[in-house]
Amino acid sequence: QVQIVESGGGLVRPGGSLRLSCAASGKISAIYAMGWYRQPPGKPRELVARVPTGSYTDYADSVKGRFTISRDDAKNTVYLQMNSLKPEDTALYICNVDAKSWYDNRDIYWGQGTQVTVSS
């Protein structure tokens, strides 16, 4: 089984920055793509950014130029640096990891989410 733990959310003023972290742990034999989704209040979940293996990254148009996703494979961790935050970035940010454990088939794992609130 794979456990996902996110951290780094909070309350920030418009224009501010936050850095989210997501660590995967457990009996992991391989990690493939890692990414972040978000779910604003009353709206469906949407992709924010993802980083498959290698240097390729993918961003939602609404965050391009403001957010940067990166991963540390030695730590099984993915980060999301969020700059120039706007009130519309307010959401529950949820980590997503495509991984294979020692005992199970390859699967998609989700964290519980970390709340980001952008407000003055």
Side-chain angles (χ1 to χ4, degrees):
Q1 188 59 283
V2 176
Q3 293 81 43
I4 307 295
V5 177
E6 303 112 325
S7 62
L11 174 63
V12 63
R13 294 182 183 277
S17 298
L18 283 174
R19 188 190 193 213
L20 305 184
S21 299
C22 166
S25 63
K27 304 296 185 182
I28 299 171
S29 64
I31 292 182
Y32 305 96
M34 304 181 83
W36 289 94
Y37 286 70
R38 68 185 180 187
Q39 187 162 17
K43 295 184 178 181
R45 188 175 296 184
E46 60 183 13
L47 174 68
V48 177
R50 61 190 296 268
V51 51
T53 55
S55 60
Y56 175 81
T57 55
D58 187 24
Y59 295 93
D61 288 342
S62 59
V63 307
K64 284 181 180 177
R66 300 188 298 122
F67 292 9
T68 302
I69 191 170
S70 61
R71 61 189 283 174
D72 184 338
D73 289 335
K75 297 180 179 179
N76 290 341
T77 298
V78 61
Y79 305 97
L80 185 68
Q81 178 67 43
M82 305 185 294
N83 299 328
S84 302
L85 283 161
K86 304 175 181 179
E88 52 263 42
D89 293 318
T90 295
L92 182 68
Y93 283 71
I94 307 161
C95 181
N96 169 285
V97 177
D98 179 357
K100 185 181 184 308
S101 71
W102 293 0
Y103 309 111
D104 297 318
N105 294 325
R106 180 173 172 178
D107 204 350
I108 303 297
Y109 297 89
W110 295 90
Q112 295 297 309
T114 183
Q115 180 66 37
V116 172
T117 302
V118 185
S119 176
S120 56

